[in-house]
Each structure stands twice: as C-alpha cells, then as structure tokens.
Amino acid sequence: MRTMTVAVLLAMGLISAAWAGDASARLDAAMVQRVVESSFPAYMADHRAVTEIESPTGDLEGSKAMADWLKARFEPLGYSVEYRQNDKGTHVILNKKGRGELRVLILGHTDTVQPVGSLAKQPYHYDEATGLVKGPGAGDSKASVAQLVQFARALQELGFDNFAEMTFYFDAEEETGSATEDEILGELTQRHGITLSVDSSPMDWGMNTERKWVVNYELNVEGMTGHAGNSPQSSASATVELANQITRIMQLASPLPGNPEDYTREALEARGIVDHGQFLPAVSINVGVVSTTNTKVNAVPRDAYAKLDVRGFKAAERDHIDAELRKIVASPTVPGTTVNLVGPFNMMPAMEKTPQAGRLVTYYKEIAKQLYDADVVEWATGGVSIGNFTSRHIPTIDGLGVETIAQHDLENERADVRTFVPRTVVMIMLLDRVVHEGIDAE
C-alpha cells in the first residue's frame, strides 16, 4: 500500500480528492461545492427535525432534546461532547482534534424566542418555489444549527483536519444571555484563535462585522417635597432636575440622521435603499423608563428616577460616556436636589472590526465573489450576539449562516434554505484560506 501513488489512491476512493491526505494541500472549491450540494436533502431533514423540537429559552425539556440531537450527530463524526446544564437549559460543547495549528471556535444557539405551542400555530412548511421555510425558530436559529451539522459532515467527507482543534459551542441561552454563557465563552476564547458565528445572517449575502457595546445606568434624584402653590420656594423638584439631567445627558449621544419617518424600513425601501446599519448613530442613548413615586399634581415631587440604555461601536467611547455622565450628575441644576448614578451594569462588549477580523471579512468577500459572483455587504448593528463576547479576545465575524427573514416574528419569520449551499461552501473555503494564509493584516 505504501508504494501506491496518490493518483492510484484517489482513483480507488481511499482518500479525498479535495484533500489527498496532505495537510498542506488546498481544498478544491469544485469538490467542496459538490459535497455540500449533495448534502442538501440531509440538511432539509435535519432542519425540519430541529425546527419541530420546540426549545424556547428556559425550557429544560426542549433544550435537552436539542442537546441530545446534536450529540447523536456529532459523536459519529469524532467529536467529544460536553454538556453544561443550569436551570435554564443545556449548553453543548463539541470538540475535535486535528493535525494542524489553527484553533477554530464556531458558534450557534439552540434556543428560540417562540413559546411551546408555537409549532401548532405555525407548522413547519417548505415552499420549494421560493426556497423559504416557516416554523417557530426556523430561521433564528434552527436553520443554522442544521447547517453546522452538515458543515462538520462536509469537513469529514473532504478529509479536512488541518486544525489543532475545532470546537462548536451551541448556546442554550443566546436570546437572553446568562452567567453560564459568559463563563463558557470566556473559557473557550482563551484556547482558540478565531470565531465564526452563524447567528443572525442578513439577507442578500449580508454579514455582521460590527456590533455595539451596551451598558445600563439608573439615575436617582432626591429633592424636597412641598405644596405646589404654597411652598414652591421651600421645595426642590426631583422631576425638574431629572428632566434637566436627561437633556444634558442626551447631548452625549450622536446626532440622528434626520426625520425618523424617512428612515423606517418602508421609507427606505421606497427609495431603493437597503438598511444595513449605515444610518446608526455611533453612540445612542435611550431613556427607557422615567418615573416618580409622586401621584399628586399639586405636590412637588420628592423623588424621580430614570433607566438608561447606552450603546456604541468603539470601546473607548464607553469610557468617555461614563466619565461625562459622572460630571453631569455631580452638578445638579435645581438647588436642593442630589443625583445618584447607579451603574454601569448589564455590560455587553462591542464586536469591533479589528485588523485581523477585517482580514477574515476580506477573505470571505473575495471567496463569495469568486465562487458565486456575490457582492457581500457588511452590516453594522446595535444588537448583541454571543460574538460580542468572543471578540473581546479573538477575531470574530458573524452572520455566516443560512439567511433569515423577519426573525423573532412567528407569523412572518422565514429561513431561506437556498442560501444553505453557497453560505456553507464559502465558510469552508474561508476556513481553508485562513489555515494557509493566516489573518495577520498587511
């Protein structure tokens, strides 16, 4: 056997034509396309199976069923399986050793926002004419869970093991976040080199390259109550001070682009514009809650409070906003009032497009253009994904999965399964290119 040539072995089908048993060889794109295309029926069967497992965040039975389903599919591919369970669900970590150097972390999630019983209201349905599939969580994120199974199978069929380790993490609490999730991501990023995430994949070859950080604050104002008619001179209105605080704080936010009616989805579509985050302000501040315990119109309020949601793209902006907030609250405008700033809390890191992440983006764009003549559009978003957490430590890009329409909308959410083959092929070829060319920016 040792004297046989590679050509003979290929002819006998004993090694893959795409890999040929050589860790230094490049994958053949045409072979990758054939392998992934042939897996489409299996993908559809898997997609239906996972969509019909109802697994809203916090549903222990559904989460465990998803975990067991993944275990049954990844173990035969040579992956070790680890469960991390808490009172909300079962997180799944799948790991396989290779013979290369790259350590790859791939992210998906098994939970949905749709409650148990949604399947009866919106049964699984595949429209072959449009390529769209409906069902609870069919897009977010069951379509990409099924995709990653076929991604792993394709790598095995191609003989691709040019990695030190490949780890899939399926989050059971992505929709809400949790300490368990944060702990797992912290552990995994310490031993991996890049993160590829399939969550929240925009339509028309969109990919997510920037996500905002998020922090919350509370403003608590204490004043002096009194009768609005007889003693305003010996009172200090907490609500007036809160209003003044809010006015000053909002000056820290980036300006909005214009009339909000001109930036609704319908208005942009009417002007032929696709919103991929290009209109998002760099820093946004939302005063989501304002309240006081006062219930009498003729009484000067003694107390008032507000809850703030602050978001931005750059980590340095967060520190600047925090410092400016503290300056503002330290100088009340209404004599007799005091202001206390509570926070920051519920802090979520930004997913920044670092030079190395930018190299991943460039590779992805070039591969998609070469193989499918696709013009990939980079999306920026104010929403948070688990990719935000990994990007604190290693280059991360997301939105690489099967594309989804109207995610979280039970009636209108659809997975576009026509995107399964090209999206999976490009992700495999991206991995191969990173292995051979690295991601150090020039």
Side-chain angles (χ1 to χ4, degrees):
M1 178 68 74
R2 286 177 300 195
T3 62
M4 287 187 180
T5 66
V6 169
V8 172
L9 291 172
L10 287 171
M12 295 176 64
L14 296 179
I15 56 177
S16 168
W19 196 244
D22 181 1
S24 65
R26 300 292 291 260
L27 287 175
D28 176 69
M31 173 65 78
V32 174
Q33 288 174 305
R34 288 194 291 272
V35 168
V36 176
E37 286 168 0
S38 69
S39 72
F40 183 73
Y43 168 75
M44 291 300 297
D46 285 346
H47 185 217
R48 178 163 195 157
V50 292
T51 303
E52 292 184 342
I53 298 174
E54 295 189 89
S55 56
T57 312
D59 185 83
L60 294 177
E61 182 179 350
S63 182
K64 181 60 162 53
M66 284 298 304
D68 291 343
W69 186 91
L70 287 166
K71 178 180 180 180
R73 279 145 186 83
F74 275 89
E75 273 191 334
L77 301 177
Y79 285 82
S80 64
V81 181
E82 179 186 357
Y83 288 174
R84 298 276 188 94
Q85 295 174 306
N86 61 18
D87 61 354
K88 297 293 184 181
T90 302
H91 298 251
V92 185
I93 303 169
L94 307 152
N95 181 267
K96 186 175 185 178
K97 306 300 181 185
R99 53 179 178 152
E101 298 180 359
L102 185 66
R103 299 180 183 276
V104 186
L105 175 59
I106 298 177
L107 304 178
H109 69 92
T110 58
D111 60 325
T112 74
V113 300
Q114 307 300 344
V116 171
S118 298
L119 185 64
K121 298 176 182 178
Q122 194 69 271
Y124 185 94
H125 177 71
Y126 170 40
D127 185 340
E128 291 190 56
T130 64
L132 300 180
V133 177
K134 68 178 182 179
D140 184 20
S141 188
K142 298 300 180 69
S144 294
V145 169
Q147 177 192 12
L148 290 183
V149 171
Q150 298 306 322
F151 172 84
R153 286 174 175 167
L155 292 182
Q156 183 185 54
E157 184 172 345
L158 292 163
F160 183 89
D161 61 356
N162 198 355
F163 50 83
E165 64 176 317
M166 178 88 65
T167 302
F168 292 81
Y169 168 45
F170 289 94
D171 190 339
E173 300 174 274
E174 190 274 343
E175 299 292 357
T176 60
S178 75
T180 302
E181 167 195 86
D182 199 16
E183 178 183 353
I184 293 171
L185 290 168
E187 291 177 17
L188 294 178
T189 52
Q190 295 304 311
R191 68 171 202 253
H192 290 83
I194 64 169
T195 299
L196 306 179
S197 174
V198 297
D199 191 31
S200 303
S201 303
M203 297 296 292
D204 301 320
W205 282 101
M207 67 184 300
N208 299 311
T209 59
E210 292 184 277
R211 290 182 178 272
K212 284 186 173 183
W213 50 260
V214 184
V215 297
N216 294 151
Y217 293 90
E218 287 186 7
L219 278 176
N220 294 304
V221 183
E222 292 293 330
M224 300 168 61
T225 191
H227 191 278
N230 294 329
S231 55
Q233 69 281 5
S234 59
S235 305
S237 173
T239 54
V240 172
E241 178 56 38
L242 180 61
N244 292 343
Q245 288 280 324
I246 291 172
T247 300
R248 295 162 69 193
I249 288 170
M250 291 307 297
Q251 298 303 309
L252 301 175
S254 303
L256 296 172
N259 186 340
E261 293 182 353
D262 294 333
Y263 294 90
T264 64
R265 180 175 60 82
E266 294 79 10
L268 291 174
E269 286 181 354
R271 286 148 53 197
I273 298 173
V274 175
D275 182 3
H276 52 85
Q278 68 269 40
F279 303 113
L280 284 173
V283 174
S284 58
I285 300 176
N286 181 56
V287 185
V289 177
V290 176
S291 188
T292 176
T293 61
N294 184 62
T295 60
K296 298 179 180 179
V297 71
N298 64 346
V300 176
R302 183 201 315 269
D303 60 75
Y305 75 91
K307 295 184 178 182
L308 310 181
D309 178 295
V310 187
R311 301 178 187 236
F313 284 113
K314 302 298 182 183
E317 295 167 341
R318 184 178 61 207
D319 296 335
H320 171 72
I321 294 295
D322 185 82
E324 292 301 311
L325 284 173
R326 296 184 189 285
K327 290 180 184 179
I328 291 172
V329 302
S331 57
T333 60
V334 176
T337 61
T338 59
V339 185
N340 180 39
L341 180 69
V342 181
F345 53 91
N346 294 334
M347 297 177 64
M348 306 289 183
M351 188 180 86
E352 295 192 45
K353 185 182 173 183
T354 64
Q356 287 183 314
R359 179 64 61 182
L360 290 173
V361 173
T362 298
Y363 288 168
Y364 191 91
K365 286 182 172 181
E366 290 176 353
I367 295 166
K369 186 67 175 178
Q370 178 184 7
L371 298 183
Y372 296 101
D373 195 28
D375 294 314
V376 174
V377 176
E378 296 181 48
W379 286 57
T381 175
V384 175
S385 81
I386 49 181
N388 287 58
F389 294 88
T390 63
S391 68
R392 288 176 296 184
H393 307 290
I394 55 179
T396 299
I397 55 174
D398 75 4
L400 309 182
V402 173
E403 296 173 10
T404 300
I405 302 170
Q407 62 185 28
H408 293 189
D409 182 335
L410 177 61
E411 184 176 346
N412 296 306
E413 179 174 312
R414 299 289 188 274
D416 187 348
V417 296
R418 295 169 299 183
T419 66
F420 160 71
V421 170
R423 286 285 196 158
T424 305
V425 168
V426 173
M427 194 159 73
I428 291 173
M429 296 305 296
L430 170 66
L431 185 60
D432 183 56
R433 187 163 177 182
V434 172
V435 163
H436 288 91
E437 298 182 27
I439 57 172
D440 289 332
E442 296 176 352

